[in-house]
Amino acid sequence: LLLPKHRRKLLARSFRGSRVLQRLLPLWSMGGFADVLRAHRKARWSKEYLDYEGLGEALNEELSGPPPSLRNFHTFTSAQGEDAAEESELECLSAPNGQEEVPASEQTPLISKEKHPKFAHKLRQEVQKVNRFYLWKLHQCDARLELQRGLLDVHFGTAQSARERRCISPSAHSAAAETFHDLANAVSSECKDFSRQERSLQHAMYSLHKRCRDLDRFASLNYAATAKILKRHDHLFPAAPIKAQMLQWVGDLEFVQRRNLHEMQAEIEQSYAEAFGEGDVGVARALLSLEKVHLRGFDVFHLGWRTGVGCGFIVWFIWDVIVDSTDERHPSAYNLFKDPLWHLYRACGEMILLLWCWGALTYIWGRVGVNWVDIMGLDRNFAMNYHEVFDEASLSTIFYGANLVLYFKVVRQDTGFADDLEHWVLPAVLVAFLAWRQLFPWYQRRTLIVTIGSVLLSPFSEVLFQHTFVADVITSMVRVWTDLALSACFIISGDFRAPDASQSGPDSPSCRSGSFTAAVAIPIISVLPLWWRCMQCLHQYGRSGKRWPYLANAFKYALAQSVSLFGIFHPSWSSGASGILQSVWLILFLSASLYQFFWDLRMDWGLLQFLDEAPEGRRPLPKRQSGLLRERLMYAAPTNPRLRILYYSAMHVDLLLRMTWTLSLIPTDKGDPFGVKLQEYLNPLFAVLEIGRRSMWALFRLEHEHLKLAVHKVGEDGFDTVGEVVKSHTFATMPEDVFKDARRAKSLVESILFGALVVAIAILAACTKE
């Protein structure tokens, strides 16, 4: 086991005459091609490659039996007997995972297991598996190319329409624009949408060309593996060589000839040249053949080093809090949980954790093929990839950890060089650094800032998928907003100037119960994200006129808001006291949590699909294996069904964490459901768990949105279309000429009445507070 690879090869060759020793070295003597194949194969297609190592084991088993005769291999290559034809009828080639079957003209008969040795039979099965998968993927690429032809025709055909002429020629706006600024804003907005669609189309063509290149590489590697294993067979059995006959048969298969694939690649390059390359096919081929830059070894080392340094600071801080704080010989009696600025550090740490989770999400979406950039309405030129997100998160973690350790030592006067430093200086430096990193570079942060601004203006702003997604994330960060509000109160009130300000309690004197912050600001902050999200649902209902799902979704947020408000203003209901009102509140609490849990699974994740929702006359996705799951699972490939446990585990985790999220909406000074002050110490854990739950929710939410677009717009696995398709699907509005004024007025009145009812319940909870 400890010998190098080339030494193992020499050892195997020296004992070639001993079949017993060769069985003890089943794979070592195969050389380095197994490692080459393992290193260059596409991870998502790993089960579809030729089983090179399995064929090597079959060869070793043949060594222990009688040598095969040459006559059997001639029969193997022809396979014209009755047994072969009969087996061909029973085992015709079909596409993997229940997809479309390969045409009968391209099927090849199987050989009889009784007439041929194990290696020959296994090799033929493996070659047929490769050819079958190749034909299936080729069919998918052809369907996608047909779709891209239509998109290109529509896009460049409408470029000469009135709307696009206005984008190309701003003078057409002059008649409708009253001022120069109106003209500039209109032209800029339309040109930006047009250029974004064009970039998205370029990405779609590049993605399709890359799929063709991957398929070409797949076919080449499998042919090389077939030739290698046949060469090894002839070397072990020189009396019965089969390489020439087998390669002649394999050479007639589609995955070896690849004429259709090469014609498809040429057509893609020609279309790309005509649309984006001024007709130069050479330039188009060069641009389409550019490989995505992978992380170099130094980049990975740099990221790992920064991550390790940041984690080292965090571990250092935890050690100081747990170990050094209990040292009775230390003169300082500083308690971290009595420091009002602990709220600020807690909020900053949770935002950095959210950044790490976002990097992990973008990495996973990129690996499984979720087109999150177009779904989120981002510009591909400015969207941060996972490496950039991790790089930003690691830098913030280093600064945060170092600042936290230094602050802890300063307030305990344990630095030896900065003991006289004001305790508020380091938190101010941390806030300034994080604010700078979150706002700049502006061209990358602008989309997020504008989206957050649109959420804050709900229901008076447009509602697209990215707005609802950001609003849902904001609802999960209630603890972050309340911590920031308490920290701001501590600074604005001037309590930080007091001599013992760092030990004045979890909340400073000006921010405790009875103050404006505790009585008004914190309750509003706790339910305001729910109000924004509810208003977004009412806005969508008013625009579309569909009570389901928009009005039902608005009721979900209204119910959670009401439960939180009554828990805030009536602490005895949520503090373990007995009584009818407390029982009613507990029932409403459980109902809200279960409602949210059901909505997550059924509507946001697309699970619990007991009815088939495939379009009539078409079934583009494989048959569902369980009523609890949907038809297509991007994180659990059909070749690895054991990964379905991820979905079942996510269901159970979401149910538990939904309860803790609703509970965390109630401030700690408004009563404790545990009957003790345990929630005050569990709040940081609740916040971390909620960020983890929201990240898990986002993982499956984007997957479901991707698949909805793939089914309704593409009809096969994958989605690389323009942003206009995403916008038209996620906006889900009715055409203006169909949407009647009477129905619009009715939806508007119902939305206003619903919002007024939610406000009335909030006023009732505030007026009857204890």
Side-chain angles (χ1 to χ4, degrees):
L1 289 176
L2 299 179
L3 287 176
K5 188 181 302 180
H6 66 283
R7 296 296 182 186
R8 296 199 300 264
K9 291 174 60 178
L10 292 176
L11 181 64
R13 289 174 182 174
S14 61
F15 290 102
R16 178 151 294 162
S18 174
R19 293 179 178 176
V20 177
L21 288 179
Q22 282 203 351
R23 289 182 61 84
L24 295 177
L25 306 173
L27 299 177
W28 292 359
S29 60
M30 294 183 65
F33 187 76
D35 296 331
V36 172
L37 183 63
R38 192 182 301 111
H40 291 84
R41 66 186 179 187
K42 192 175 178 64
R44 295 178 63 188
W45 300 349
S46 58
K47 300 294 184 180
E48 309 300 334
Y49 282 81
L50 194 81
D51 189 6
Y52 188 74
E53 296 180 356
L55 290 170
E57 292 177 355
L59 272 180
N60 288 320
E61 291 181 6
E62 295 291 341
L63 289 174
S64 60
S69 63
L70 187 61
R71 180 185 60 82
N72 285 339
F73 288 108
H74 283 298
T75 308
F76 167 74
T77 54
S78 60
Q80 299 293 330
E82 296 180 359
D83 293 340
E86 190 175 328
E87 193 166 351
S88 175
E89 297 177 359
L90 297 176
E91 301 186 28
C92 63
L93 293 177
S94 61
N97 311 328
Q99 297 290 339
E100 183 179 349
E101 293 186 355
V102 177
S105 60
E106 299 182 5
Q107 297 174 7
T108 54
L110 300 177
I111 62 170
S112 174
K113 296 179 181 179
E114 292 78 9
K115 289 185 178 181
H116 309 288
K118 180 178 180 181
F119 168 77
H121 181 73
K122 182 175 178 59
L123 177 60
R124 190 178 185 90
Q125 283 187 325
E126 289 296 316
V127 171
Q128 288 178 336
K129 178 188 73 173
V130 170
N131 193 56
R132 181 167 58 243
F133 181 79
Y134 171 84
L135 291 173
W136 175 47
K137 283 297 179 182
L138 185 66
H139 173 72
Q140 283 190 349
C141 291
D142 184 65
R144 184 177 295 276
L145 179 59
E146 187 66 28
L147 173 69
Q148 293 303 131
R149 289 196 202 100
L151 290 173
L152 287 172
D153 293 341
V154 170
H155 180 73
F156 289 99
T158 57
Q160 302 304 321
S161 66
R163 176 179 178 276
E164 303 306 337
R165 283 200 303 270
R166 290 197 301 271
C167 177
I168 298 172
S169 178
S171 60
H173 280 284
S174 57
E178 297 180 357
T179 65
F180 175 77
H181 294 289
D182 295 338
L183 170 64
N185 292 334
V187 174
S188 175
S189 176
E190 293 182 359
C191 290
K192 186 182 299 183
D193 292 340
F194 185 76
S195 61
R196 178 177 296 176
Q197 294 176 21
E198 193 167 287
R199 284 193 294 269
S200 188
L201 268 175
Q202 288 178 329
H203 172 75
M205 296 295 289
Y206 171 81
S207 178
L208 178 57
H209 193 268
K210 185 178 184 304
R211 286 194 177 206
C212 293
R213 295 200 312 270
D214 290 340
L215 191 58
D216 187 66
R217 189 180 298 112
F218 168 83
S220 300
L221 281 174
N222 281 285
Y223 179 76
T226 304
K228 285 279 187 180
I229 200 66
L230 288 173
K231 177 182 177 181
R232 173 170 163 73
H233 174 275
D234 289 358
H235 189 72
L236 294 177
F237 302 102
I242 63 170
K243 181 179 179 181
Q245 296 96 331
M246 276 298 301
L247 288 183
Q248 182 179 2
W249 170 69
V250 173
D252 295 332
L253 298 179
E254 183 63 30
F255 85 94
V256 178
Q257 296 183 356
R258 304 197 291 278
R259 287 190 297 268
N260 294 333
L261 180 62
H262 294 159
E263 292 175 0
M264 188 182 302
Q265 286 180 291
E267 184 176 353
I268 295 172
E269 293 165 1
Q270 182 66 34
S271 300
Y272 190 92
E274 294 175 355
F276 311 108
E278 300 180 354
D280 194 331
V281 179
V283 174
R285 185 181 300 111
L287 293 176
L288 290 172
S289 301
L290 292 176
E291 292 288 346
K292 189 178 297 184
V293 178
H294 296 281
L295 296 183
R296 296 172 298 176
F298 178 77
D299 295 329
V300 176
F301 171 78
H302 182 67
L303 178 60
W305 174 82
R306 289 169 60 159
T307 304
V309 172
C311 294
F313 278 121
I314 300 299
V315 172
W316 187 355
F317 167 74
I318 295 174
W319 177 270
D320 283 351
V321 171
I322 296 178
V323 178
D324 288 355
S325 297
T326 59
D327 190 356
E328 298 179 354
R329 295 172 297 176
H330 199 280
S332 175
Y334 173 77
N335 187 346
L336 177 67
F337 296 99
K338 292 183 179 180
D339 191 342
L341 287 176
W342 170 237
H343 293 292
L344 178 63
Y345 279 101
R346 194 166 65 188
C348 294
E350 290 160 1
M351 287 191 290
I352 294 174
L353 175 62
L354 183 64
L355 188 60
W356 279 106
C357 292
W358 178 252
L361 289 173
T362 55
Y363 173 77
I364 296 173
W365 289 331
R367 289 297 300 268
V368 301
V370 174
N371 189 4
W372 63 275
V373 177
D374 282 336
I375 293 176
M376 297 294 292
L378 302 177
D379 192 328
R380 291 191 174 273
N381 291 339
F382 304 138
M384 298 175 63
N385 57 38
Y386 73 92
H387 178 252
E388 293 174 324
V389 176
F390 283 147
D391 196 62
E392 186 69 29
S394 62
L395 179 61
S396 300
T397 303
I398 291 176
F399 195 90
Y400 173 79
N403 190 286
L404 185 59
V405 170
L406 187 58
Y407 174 79
F408 186 77
K409 291 186 175 297
V410 165
V411 294
R412 298 179 74 228
Q413 297 183 352
D414 198 19
T415 61
F417 61 91
D419 294 343
D420 296 333
L421 187 67
E422 292 290 342
H423 71 284
W424 56 268
V425 173
L426 290 173
V429 172
L430 175 64
V431 171
F433 174 80
L434 293 180
W436 170 57
R437 299 301 300 181
Q438 293 301 318
L439 294 176
F440 301 100
W442 177 253
Y443 65 88
Q444 285 186 330
R445 312 293 194 264
R446 180 181 179 276
T447 302
L448 176 60
I449 302 301
V450 171
T451 303
I452 293 176
S454 299
V455 172
L456 301 183
L457 294 176
S458 299
F460 306 107
S461 59
E462 65 174 348
V463 181
L464 302 178
F465 177 82
Q466 57 265 33
H467 300 105
T468 61
F469 183 87
V470 172
D472 279 322
V473 174
I474 291 176
T475 60
S476 294
M477 300 183 68
V478 171
R479 279 298 167 198
V480 176
W481 314 134
T482 55
D483 284 339
L484 291 177
L486 290 172
S487 302
C489 174
F490 177 66
I491 299 298
I492 295 173
S493 64
D495 291 344
F496 70 95
R497 296 192 184 94
D500 58 344
S502 62
Q503 290 294 282
S504 57
D507 301 332
S508 60
S510 301
C511 308
R512 292 173 183 169
S513 299
S515 64
F516 174 83
T517 302
V520 179
I522 297 301
I524 291 178
I525 292 174
S526 298
V527 299
L528 195 56
L530 298 172
W531 169 262
W532 288 329
R533 190 65 185 92
C534 180
M535 291 299 102
Q536 284 183 336
C537 297
L538 293 181
H539 176 91
Q540 290 176 303
Y541 170 57
R543 291 293 303 273
S544 65
K546 299 178 181 178
R547 291 188 178 93
W548 179 266
Y550 300 123
L551 208 56
N553 200 15
F555 176 75
K556 179 188 73 172
Y557 293 102
L559 181 60
Q561 174 182 324
S562 302
V563 169
S564 303
L565 284 174
F566 278 100
I568 291 171
F569 292 115
H570 298 268
S572 62
W573 296 6
S574 58
S575 60
S578 60
I580 298 178
L581 295 178
Q582 194 270 347
S583 301
V584 172
W585 183 88
L586 183 60
I587 292 174
L588 291 177
F589 168 80
L590 293 175
S591 300
S593 300
L594 293 176
Y595 190 10
Q596 294 160 357
F597 168 70
F598 169 78
W599 196 273
D600 285 346
L601 267 59
R602 181 64 174 83
M603 303 302 297
D604 291 343
W605 295 356
L607 305 178
L608 306 181
Q609 299 284 356
F610 300 103
L611 298 177
D612 189 3
E613 298 181 354
E616 185 177 356
R618 184 178 70 178
R619 190 180 186 88
L621 302 176
K623 184 176 178 61
R624 182 170 53 251
Q625 300 296 324
S626 170
L628 295 177
L629 305 180
R630 70 175 91 90
E631 292 178 343
R632 176 83 161 105
L633 303 176
M634 298 187 71
Y635 304 124
T639 56
N640 195 359
R642 291 178 298 178
L643 290 178
R644 290 199 209 105
I645 194 174
L646 295 175
Y647 293 84
Y648 293 113
S649 301
M651 294 179 188
H652 293 85
V653 172
D654 187 72
L655 175 61
L656 176 62
L657 296 185
R658 267 299 183 184
M659 301 286 185
T660 62
W661 174 78
T662 307
L663 194 64
S664 67
L665 295 175
I666 304 172
T668 55
D669 63 336
K670 299 297 182 181
D672 197 325
F674 300 104
V676 295
K677 288 297 181 181
L678 181 61
Q679 189 181 1
E680 179 179 323
Y681 299 97
L682 291 179
N683 269 334
L685 178 61
F686 284 166
V688 171
L689 291 176
E690 176 56 22
I691 290 175
R693 187 201 69 83
R694 181 57 68 182
S695 301
M696 179 184 69
W697 173 88
L699 188 71
F700 298 105
R701 179 68 183 93
L702 265 292
E703 178 204 19
H704 182 220
E705 188 68 18
H706 175 100
L707 291 176
K708 284 197 303 183
L709 291 164
V711 170
H712 292 286
K713 300 299 179 183
V714 180
E716 49 104 356
D717 69 329
F719 170 62
D720 293 303
T721 59
V722 295
E724 187 66 26
V725 176
V726 181
K727 183 177 179 180
S728 64
H729 178 71
T730 56
F731 200 66
T733 60
M734 297 184 65
E736 294 294 334
D737 56 343
V738 179
F739 197 51
K740 298 181 179 179
D741 293 337
R743 188 175 178 184
R744 181 189 296 275
K746 182 180 179 180
S747 301
L748 181 61
V749 170
E750 290 181 357
S751 300
I752 294 175
L753 291 177
F754 189 93
L757 179 62
V758 174
V759 173
I761 294 175
I763 295 175
L764 177 64
C767 293
T768 60
K769 67 177 181 178
E770 298 176 357

